[in-house]
Amino acid sequence: MSARKIALVTGGMGGLGTAICKALAQSNFIVIANCLPDFPPRNDWLERTRAEGFDFHVGEADVCDYDACVVMVKQIEREIGPIDVLVNNAGITRDGIFHKMDRSQWDAVLATNLDSVFNVTHQVLEGMAQRGWGRVINISSVNGVKGQFGQANYSAAKAGILGFTKAVAAEVAKKGVTVNAIAPGYIGTDMVMAIKPEVRDAITDTIPVGRLGRPEEIGGLCAYLASDLAAYITGATININGGLHMY
Ligand code: CAA
Ligand code: NAP
């Protein structure tokens, strides 16, 4: 077994996921990037990050599927070792004004953004508690904190993450395991670039810092929360939104 700690990042090949994987690797974690099974860009992503000097592992599973998460985590434990840091990052949007939102938009977002947090955390938390050290970092959103026009599904799921974070943090606080949420504002990834340009520009105009966030800024915060120095932060929601929502 390795002396280096092991981190699993769900949705690890996406915009924020990639930056989080890199930041954790730069902090000396062994990093496993989760992706969907048969994810077409998987090999390109591995090749590109390898060329940049990273040596990531891959854990395939649809995080909406509990049984697939069981299999993925068991395989990681067998082949690499027990997971010390879990970043629940996988997520999607299916935006629409509520009265036009259909049940499939609701179900997809709740399953991917909230059920997934149960599905993966359930596989690793007990082991972290038994070993006396662990970090769970849940990627919520400014829109889970404040609510957003056109995102009843997403805001509900991301707010649900905040409740989950506080409840579970309380349960494992004495075991050396911290559970925190990061609530990013609008960060320049495919997810934000999918917003209609005129709507996105209008939102960007309201950000006091005057720009979208950078994925590296979220990666850096994850690396800090994963560190020993952050042992006294638990049950927290850390806002990182360029001043878009201050409270
Ligand atoms: N507040 C109040 N009214 C608003 C509004 C807002 N924030 N946004 C739009 N409206 C109004 C429009 O002005 C328009 O009014 P009129 O009919 O009087 O002209 C009406 O609502 C309909 O707006 P759209 O034409 O935009 O409606 P649409 O059906 O074409 O699109 C939408 C609806 C898809 C929700 C679109 O408004 C949209 O994309 N909004 C942005 C949602 C958003 O912020 N998504 C974030 C995605 S990224 C992410 O989620 C990451 C993260 O965590 C930050
Ligand atoms: P992204 O680039 O679209 O990345 C999301 C990743 O999650 C993708 O790699 C995606 O794979 C993966 N994924 C989706 N469904 C999955 C599933 N069922 N199982 C496994 N992986 C799955 O978006 P991002 O901006 O990096 O978002 C990452 C997280 O940050 C999300 O939870 C998002 O809600 C949150 N967030 C983003 C912002 C922002 O402004 N960008 C702000 C606040 C919070 P596919 O590409 O195959 O779908």
Side-chain angles (χ1 to χ4, degrees), residues 135-213:
R135 300 282 185 267
V136 178
I137 302 166
N138 299 318
I139 307 297
S140 176
S141 165
V142 64
N143 293 341
V145 175
K146 74 168 186 57
Q148 169 65 348
F149 186 102
Q151 288 200 304
N153 49 1
Y154 186 88
S155 298
K158 293 299 189 182
I161 285 179
L162 304 182
F164 173 92
T165 298
K166 289 180 247 190
V168 178
E171 292 183 14
V172 292
K174 286 203 168 64
K175 309 281 187 183
V177 180
T178 68
V179 185
N180 290 293
I182 293 178
Y186 286 74
I187 315 297
T189 69
D190 291 350
M191 183 177 275
V192 164
M193 292 312 166
I195 306 172
K196 283 187 288 190
E198 64 277 18
V199 174
R200 190 175 63 242
D201 289 346
I203 292 170
T204 307
D205 286 345
T206 66
I207 301 172
V209 166
R211 63 169 174 85
L212 297 177

Side-chain angles (χ1 to χ4, degrees), residues 36-52:
L36 284 160
D38 306 317
F39 184 59
R42 170 201 148 122
N43 290 341
D44 285 352
W45 184 88
L46 278 173
E47 220 168 90
R48 183 163 43 83
T49 52
R50 211 165 278 145
E52 294 172 33

Side-chain angles (χ1 to χ4, degrees), residues 11-245:
M13 298 185 187
L16 294 191
T18 300
I20 293 167
C21 286
K22 289 180 180 177
L24 291 172
Q26 283 159 347
S27 297
N28 203 32
F29 289 94
I30 294 172
V31 179
I32 300 125
N34 152 262
C35 67
L36 284 160
D38 306 317
F39 184 59
R42 170 201 148 122
N43 290 341
D44 285 352
W45 184 88
L46 278 173
E47 220 168 90
R48 183 163 43 83
T49 52
R50 211 165 278 145
E52 294 172 33
F54 296 96
D55 183 20
F56 295 128
H57 300 263
V58 178
E60 288 189 341
D62 178 345
V63 292
C64 302
D65 178 343
Y66 184 88
D67 293 339
C69 294
V70 172
V71 171
M72 173 181 69
V73 171
K74 279 197 188 327
Q75 186 177 354
I76 292 168
E77 287 174 344
R78 211 170 42 242
E79 293 177 3
I80 304 170
I83 293 163
D84 302 295
V85 176
L86 167 63
V87 185
N88 283 307
N89 165 75
I92 58 169
T93 52
R94 296 288 183 269
D95 292 355
I97 295 168
F98 180 65
H99 75 89
K100 292 192 207 157
M101 184 178 287
D102 63 31
R103 184 71 208 206
S104 70
Q105 287 170 284
W106 175 267
D107 288 342
V109 168
L110 269 288
T112 309
N113 297 16
L114 184 58
D115 291 351
S116 64
V117 175
F118 177 89
N119 293 345
V120 190
T121 309
H122 214 230
Q123 314 314 321
V124 302
L125 194 73
E126 188 54 27
M128 290 177 182
Q130 279 171 8
R131 294 189 300 279
W133 198 96
R135 300 282 185 267
V136 178
I137 302 166
N138 299 318
I139 307 297
S140 176
S141 165
V142 64
N143 293 341
V145 175
K146 74 168 186 57
Q148 169 65 348
F149 186 102
Q151 288 200 304
N153 49 1
Y154 186 88
S155 298
K158 293 299 189 182
I161 285 179
L162 304 182
F164 173 92
T165 298
K166 289 180 247 190
V168 178
E171 292 183 14
V172 292
K174 286 203 168 64
K175 309 281 187 183
V177 180
T178 68
V179 185
N180 290 293
I182 293 178
Y186 286 74
I187 315 297
T189 69
D190 291 350
M191 183 177 275
V192 164
M193 292 312 166
I195 306 172
K196 283 187 288 190
E198 64 277 18
V199 174
R200 190 175 63 242
D201 289 346
I203 292 170
T204 307
D205 286 345
T206 66
I207 301 172
V209 166
R211 63 169 174 85
L212 297 177
R214 300 185 187 105
E216 297 71 29
E217 292 168 331
I218 308 302
L221 181 52
C222 270
Y224 176 68
L225 286 176
S227 72
D228 282 324
L229 265 183
Y232 206 56
I233 303 176
T234 198
T237 300
I238 317 260
N239 296 292
I240 172 162
N241 62 33
L244 177 61
H245 184 61

